[in-house]
Amino acid sequence: MPSTYKKDKPWDTDDIDKWKEEAFTPDQNLGGTFSEESSFATLFPKYRELYLKQSWPMITRALEKHGIACTLDLVEGSMTVKTTRKTFDPAAILKARDLIKLLARSVPAPQAVKILEDGMACDVIKVRGLVTNKERFVKRRQRILGPNGSTLKALELLTQTYILVQGNTVSAMGGYKSLKEVRRVVEDCMANIHPIYHIKELMIKRELAKDPELKNENWDRFLPHFKKRNLTKRRKPFRVTEKKAAYTPFPPPQEKSKVDLQIESGEYFLGKQAKERATKERREEAMRDKMEERKRKREEAFEAPKEEAEVKKKRKKRKVEAAEEA
């Protein structure tokens, strides 16, 4: 709001960010030390023990700047943070709680320490409970990573966050608004909506935010609306039962035997030589038919194709004949 007192203010220049939040200093803590001690603890998996042991001095130094004490218990497999007499920021213990939570979820220590900065938040999304089938869960979790991690890198660049997919959780670090976008993308991916749709939407939003004319307008007309194209698959039963014929009290007619068929054809009453002669004739006739079929197929390759001129002449002749008849 502009001041009504019209006087030159040489200290108020355009390059000053009036919305910037200054860092909390010990001088601003007018209440003094805390009356009670606050502490948080979390367990970590066995495979993280060696890494945490090596990087614990760096974590201790980072927490000492905010007056937070930390303990690494390798017997129980737990990390503990608590306030001390030197703690001046009430929110520091909550930041330290998020720090040990990220360390337990395999976030590298140099990256996890950034959570102590102002304006930085974290979100650990539990994705295993969103999909019941394990094979389906593994496939959808792989979609967040993409081929060679390209999808994950695109999400990190568009949302300005750090994302780590580890086991049954997805850990994200960044601004509050960005974390909301990441959670929406991850939950939709587990609900079988590919992250590439959200990436396209985020890219369009980033370009629209650069335009000063469209900055404060509704962007729904610019955003893509994807329709579901899943075809309805008819459920196929495991056992297909044939329809039963109408019930009749009479049994089906008995099939004729080989002897009955020979009696009908008269072959049964022939002598041995006559039977052999008839069998030989049938065999020779079948061989003759096969030879003629093969000969016809061989001769097809030598037949000349019909020329277009002859076909046109025939068509013209037919038209003339049709005209004469009419």
Side-chain angles (χ1 to χ4, degrees), residues 70-213:
C70 58
T71 310
L72 177 66
D73 192 344
L74 298 176
V75 178
E76 281 188 12
S78 65
M79 293 178 283
T80 310
V81 289
K82 56 186 178 181
T83 56
T84 61
R85 302 283 293 178
K86 295 179 181 179
T87 309
F88 59 90
D89 188 0
I93 187 64
L94 300 177
K95 295 276 188 182
R97 177 201 61 186
D98 294 340
L99 171 63
I100 58 174
K101 192 196 298 182
L102 291 169
L103 289 169
R105 292 314 309 148
S106 300
V107 177
Q111 178 66 35
V113 168
K114 292 179 183 178
I115 197 69
L116 300 173
E117 299 173 5
D118 290 334
M120 183 72 73
C122 74
D123 190 9
V124 179
I125 308 162
K126 296 178 181 179
V127 292
R128 183 63 187 94
L130 301 176
V131 184
T132 52
N133 192 343
K134 189 177 180 182
E135 291 180 3
R136 199 176 296 159
F137 163 72
V138 171
K139 286 180 181 177
R140 291 181 186 177
R141 184 183 62 180
Q142 185 61 32
R143 285 182 195 169
I144 302 170
L145 297 171
N148 300 323
S150 57
T151 307
L152 187 71
K153 190 67 180 174
L155 277 174
E156 287 181 343
L157 291 171
L158 289 168
T159 57
Q160 297 295 317
T161 55
Y162 171 82
I163 306 170
L164 177 72
V165 181
Q166 173 69 19
N168 298 332
T169 59
V170 178
S171 305
M173 287 177 62
Y176 295 99
K177 194 175 180 181
S178 301
L179 291 177
K180 194 176 178 182
E181 289 285 343
V182 172
R183 177 172 276 274
R184 185 169 69 94
V185 172
V186 171
E187 287 180 353
D188 284 353
C189 182
M190 290 294 133
N192 203 20
I193 299 172
H194 206 282
I196 196 68
Y197 298 134
H198 292 291
I199 288 171
K200 288 180 179 179
E201 189 179 316
L202 290 168
M203 288 172 71
I204 294 167
K205 282 182 178 178
R206 190 173 69 171
E207 292 300 320
L208 289 170
K210 293 177 183 177
D211 193 345
E213 295 179 1

